[in-house]
Amino acid sequence: MTQGLNETNGKANNYADLQTKKEVIVATDVQKWYDNKFHVLRGVSMTVYEGEVVVIMGPSGSGKSTFIRTFNALEAYQKGSINIDGIELSHDLKNIEAIRREVGMVFQQFNLFPHLTILENVTLSPIWVRRYPKKKAEEIAMQLLERVGIAEQARKYPGQLSGGQQQRVAIARALAMQPKVMLFDEPTSALDPEMVREVLDTMKTLAQEGMTMVVVTHEVGFAREVADRIVLMDEGLLIEEADPVEFFNNPKEERTRKFLSQIL
Amino acid sequence: MTNQSVLPESPPSVTTDVVAWVKKNLFDGWFNSLLTVGIGFALIKFLLSFGEWVTTKARWDVIPANLPLFMVGRFPASQYWRAWLIAALLVSVGGLTWGMLTLSKEVEGNHQIGFSRNTLIGIGILAFAIVLLPLPTPNKAMILGILSLALGGCFLGRLGVRKIPIIGGVVAGAWVVSLILVLWLLAGGFGLETVGTDLWNGLLLTIFMALISIGLSFPLGMIFALGRQSSLPIVKFFSVTYIEFFRGLPLVGILFAAQVMLPLILPGDWRIDRVVRAIAGLTIFTSAYLAEAIRGGLQSIPKGQIEAASALGLNTPLSLYLIVMPQALRAVIPAMMNLFLSLFKDTSLLAVVGLVELTGISRNILANPNFLGRFAEVYLFVATIYLICCSAMSQASKQLEANLGVGKR
């Protein structure tokens, strides 16, 4: 593999380089059953290193959303192990709460709190979880809102904003916790095409600033430009893992080729 | 190709002429016109005969002659000033709440502290009506004084919304302090002459019981609603049993049981006051219904809200307090107001178990040989009082919904 920086996304494109970095998420043979019947995750193992952007793609029903939702205990798993930033994800509530402070999540349906203003949405977690005083929390919040480009909407309510603006607020809200890793569950799937661009740009900037990100998405352009590694999941299994160039141009597995032929 | 303008145009004008409105809404087609004429005729006939009865055949002297009885029953006449003070206190805090609710924080330019023209007209009419009432002059002066307290309270409340950030907490605190003061003024002791609870009668008792029951049943209902959702089996079992049991019994039955059976069950020298028993019965009954209404609200919250709260690191109590309950309660304000209005009027059932509140005192007044047969006058008067109180509560709930932006956000 060529050493040095990747021309497209400016990051190290040597997998070996990355492996000397810290492991943020270590998932080993994660298995999950729905209702004791449906085997939705059939033994998925994945490691995410600090500063990496991992894009998970796959057909619907492949378990990719379920998989990333196990990282912050929104979904439980029955077998295997998950380790986030050194903390073992178990049934222990203390561990779960500690992990949730380090993992930020952005949802497909934004899930902003409609009864609070934008500013209150973003300051909620710093005030109540990190226990910052209100002034400090509001400073952090305004900085983040400026970073995502909606500082002037701070006093409005979510219902008064467009979808793209709401999703950017959701990103700011997740960042307010100063997490170690950000999870994105199909962040642009519920947006109009004109607004997809603004959200993807925000995510790209975030990646360039060095945030560790795991993104479930169908946006091929984003994956090509920003991802360090693309993972294909199908029927609860991890099919292929490769960097964008290899993944799109030279896939090894048959299922990958089939998937690519459908989306490209 | 014709070059049509892309500038927005004004819509075709709609006439707001009264004649046009009447034509469109009342006489639109022969069937509707027939309906209008028929109903109008019946309505006018009814109103005319009712009006005739009200002004000529009815003998209204039963009302002014017994007004103190209706209002405070057998409360000692020398202590009436305490009753006036209670009214003044409750009206002031009510005015504060009114002011707080009607000044919306979100509309930046709308910090109108004064009263709107419609409100002023309404108040003017009310004051005029009070002056016309057949009451002794000092009483009329007191009532007008209390009315001005309401307005002053409203003004203060609006001022408070502008200046004080936690005005909601302040007003809630004011209610708690007022209710404690009301209790002291009613019961006496600590410097005031004691007045036994069986001397608490009339509208005074109705309002007191309703306020306390509403205040207690709300948190109790919330607790049982959350208990029903709980994953702890004992909590869930207890909550479900409580709710289903007390929803399944008639209120009269519960009130009877509270009044009659409680002394039998409790050890001999434990004597619980009758008013306390009544309040307990009303509270338990309403809290079971409230629990279900709130559960409806809890179910209406999208799962994504709770997931987002969890993802942000909020534990269960925090996400309930900050995210779930505010949204759930906003959604079911109409249902809860229904229950509170029912509660207010169900205090009349206590007349059946021997407590003399507004309905009870009416029956006593009707038993007076001087006023034999004045059922219509007395019950119409009592009905009007209930209607006024319930309308006030209903209006307050509408203002609350508008202030919280229900249906808008």
Side-chain angles (χ1 to χ4, degrees):
Chain A
M1 277 210 204
T2 51
Q3 296 276 335
L5 295 174
N6 184 316
E7 280 105 44
T8 322
N9 64 12
K11 295 207 220 152
N13 68 351
N14 186 331
Y15 210 36
D17 273 352
L18 282 174
Q19 281 176 325
T20 57
K21 284 197 165 177
K22 195 169 143 203
E23 295 168 340
V24 179
I25 301 180
V26 181
T28 317
D29 191 37
V30 175
Q31 299 197 43
K32 180 181 169 69
W33 285 262
Y34 275 143
D35 293 331
N36 269 333
K37 278 186 240 152
F38 179 56
H39 201 179
V40 55
L41 294 175
R42 303 185 190 191
V44 192
S45 302
M46 194 172 85
T47 309
V48 180
Y49 297 94
E50 196 176 0
E52 256 203 305
V53 176
V54 177
V55 170
I56 305 183
M57 301 184 102
S60 51
S62 53
K64 35 189 212 301
S65 287
T66 313
F67 184 50
I68 71 165
R69 283 155 62 98
T70 54
F71 295 162
N72 64 355
L74 285 182
E75 302 272 359
Y77 59 97
Q78 281 76 43
K79 268 191 175 168
S81 78
I82 298 182
N83 201 296
I84 313 270
D85 197 30
I87 310 170
E88 176 73 32
L89 187 59
S90 60
H91 291 296
D92 187 353
L93 214 59
K94 271 206 161 29
N95 279 359
I96 293 180
E97 288 183 6
I99 286 174
R100 283 180 177 164
R101 268 178 244 144
E102 306 305 329
V103 178
M105 185 152 189
V106 177
F107 299 86
Q108 184 177 352
Q109 303 294 340
F110 331 138
N111 288 337
L112 291 180
F113 305 127
H115 60 297
L116 301 172
T117 61
I118 302 297
L119 190 63
E120 286 167 348
N121 260 279
V122 182
T123 57
L124 191 76
S125 195
I127 291 177
W128 291 94
V129 183
R130 295 254 189 232
R131 308 217 151 269
Y132 289 167
K134 191 166 173 208
K135 264 212 168 341
K136 183 174 175 191
E138 285 189 355
E139 271 173 37
I140 298 176
M142 286 310 289
Q143 275 172 20
L144 286 170
L145 288 174
E146 275 184 43
R147 214 165 125 189
V148 300
I150 20 178
E152 64 287 353
Q153 317 274 21
R155 307 269 166 204
K156 290 201 180 162
Y157 286 92
Q160 296 168 293
L161 264 54
S162 73
Q165 291 171 321
Q166 287 190 46
Q167 193 62 300
R168 286 186 280 153
V169 173
I171 295 175
R173 182 178 67 172
L175 286 174
M177 287 297 288
Q178 293 157 334
K180 295 258 168 39
V181 57
M182 287 278 280
L183 305 174
F184 293 82
D185 187 0
E186 303 206 34
T188 54
S189 295
L191 293 174
D192 290 339
E194 311 94 70
M195 301 194 237
V196 170
R197 178 88 263 159
E198 64 191 46
V199 174
L200 290 180
D201 284 343
T202 311
M203 289 165 66
K204 186 169 166 185
T205 316
L206 203 57
Q208 282 166 345
E209 288 166 3
M211 173 63 76
T212 315
M213 292 162 62
V214 181
V215 185
V216 173
T217 185
H218 298 293
E219 293 287 330
V220 173
F222 177 79
R224 263 202 248 257
E225 272 183 61
V226 187
D228 290 307
R229 212 185 343 148
I230 304 187
V231 164
L232 180 78
M233 274 184 73
D234 191 10
E235 289 182 354
L237 287 168
L238 199 151
I239 307 293
E240 185 165 348
E241 231 180 300
D243 68 71
V245 177
E246 270 209 27
F247 186 86
F248 287 112
N249 299 334
N250 209 1
K252 294 198 190 68
E253 300 286 332
E254 176 57 42
R255 273 201 263 189
T256 319
R257 275 189 272 264
K258 187 167 161 216
F259 175 71
L260 287 173
S261 70
Q262 287 169 334
I263 63 163
L264 286 178
Chain B
M1 206 153 63
T2 45
N3 209 352
Q4 286 191 305
S5 168
V6 290
L7 293 171
E9 296 174 0
S10 41
S13 59
V14 180
T15 39
T16 48
D17 185 20
V18 176
V19 176
W21 184 93
V22 166
K23 226 172 152 207
K24 178 168 167 252
N25 288 296
L26 297 178
F27 296 102
D28 180 31
W30 67 268
F31 181 64
N32 289 340
S33 307
L34 220 61
L35 267 181
T36 304
V37 168
I39 295 175
F41 187 66
L43 207 59
I44 292 174
K45 192 130 194 286
F46 168 71
L47 283 175
L48 277 179
S49 57
F50 184 66
E52 192 199 338
W53 177 84
V54 164
T55 44
T56 49
K57 298 217 199 81
R59 290 175 299 162
W60 290 106
D61 56 326
V62 62
I63 311 293
N66 295 300
L67 203 54
L69 274 178
F70 277 119
M71 294 295 136
V72 293
R74 292 172 294 159
F75 206 76
S78 60
Q79 306 292 316
Y80 273 5
W81 61 272
R82 281 153 65 173
W84 284 111
L85 207 53
I86 292 173
L89 208 55
L90 289 177
V91 166
S92 309
V93 186
L96 259 179
T97 318
W98 174 27
M100 180 191 80
L101 289 179
T102 53
L103 190 61
S104 175
K105 281 183 288 182
E106 72 175 67
V107 186
E108 286 296 323
N110 194 17
H111 276 196
Q112 159 217 9
I113 300 233
F115 298 100
S116 72
R117 196 190 57 159
N118 287 345
T119 320
L120 285 172
I121 294 177
I123 294 169
I125 296 177
L126 190 61
F128 191 60
I130 292 174
V131 169
L132 284 181
L133 283 175
L135 294 172
T137 324
N139 288 6
K140 278 198 274 195
M142 294 281 237
I143 296 179
L144 285 174
I146 290 180
L147 183 64
S148 49
L149 268 178
L151 297 176
C154 177
F155 183 75
L156 265 177
R158 289 180 179 177
L159 208 64
V161 172
R162 248 222 202 149
K163 300 277 166 76
I164 310 171
I166 40 155
I167 184 73
V170 170
V171 173
W175 272 105
V176 173
V177 168
S178 307
L179 283 175
I180 297 176
L181 282 175
V182 165
L183 190 58
W184 175 49
L185 285 169
L186 271 176
F190 304 113
L192 290 175
E193 179 188 320
T194 340
V195 176
T197 57
D198 50 316
L199 294 179
W200 300 356
N201 300 141
L203 185 59
L204 185 65
L205 185 61
T206 299
I207 291 186
F208 177 69
M209 286 198 297
L211 276 177
I212 305 273
S213 300
I214 290 174
L216 289 177
S217 61
F218 185 58
L220 208 59
M222 271 204 287
I223 291 172
F224 281 109
L226 292 172
R228 191 168 184 158
Q229 306 268 61
S230 167
S231 49
L232 303 169
I234 303 214
V235 173
K236 184 169 181 173
F237 174 72
F238 185 61
S239 304
V240 171
T241 315
Y242 177 95
I243 293 172
E244 295 304 327
F245 184 67
F246 288 111
R247 277 204 313 173
L249 297 175
L251 180 55
V252 175
I254 295 177
L255 294 174
F256 260 117
Q259 295 288 338
V260 171
M261 284 172 49
L262 213 55
L264 297 175
I265 303 176
L266 290 177
D269 23 329
W270 277 36
R271 312 204 89 247
I272 302 189
D273 192 273
R274 298 186 72 191
V275 173
V276 173
R277 286 181 233 162
I279 291 177
L282 289 169
T283 304
I284 291 175
F285 181 78
T286 310
S287 63
Y289 276 72
L290 257 178
E292 284 297 278
I294 295 175
R295 183 170 73 93
L298 289 171
Q299 286 177 329
S300 73
I301 311 263
K303 257 190 120 199
Q305 290 288 300
I306 306 170
E307 287 180 355
S310 303
L312 282 175
L314 295 170
N315 57 18
T316 314
L318 273 179
S319 61
L320 274 176
Y321 173 65
L322 294 168
I323 311 296
V324 175
M325 281 315 238
Q327 291 185 61
L329 293 175
R330 266 155 42 110
V332 292
I333 289 178
M336 295 198 294
M337 214 52 215
N338 255 357
L339 291 171
F340 293 149
L341 286 175
S342 273
L343 174 55
F344 183 81
K345 291 174 293 169
D346 285 339
T347 54
S348 56
L349 286 173
L350 288 157
V352 177
V353 290
L355 247 69
V356 188
E357 39 62 69
L358 191 57
T359 308
I361 204 88
S362 316
R363 294 167 81 197
N364 286 5
I365 289 170
L366 284 167
N368 185 334
N370 285 339
F371 301 112
L372 224 46
R374 309 287 187 89
F375 299 102
E377 291 88 341
V378 169
Y379 282 130
L380 260 175
F381 176 67
V382 167
T384 314
I385 295 184
Y386 277 121
L387 194 60
I388 292 174
C389 292
C390 290
S391 302
M393 287 167 72
S394 198
Q395 189 63 18
S397 105
K398 268 202 289 196
Q399 289 292 359
L400 184 62
E401 285 196 32
N403 187 272
L404 292 174
V406 173
K408 278 194 281 176
R409 53 176 201 258

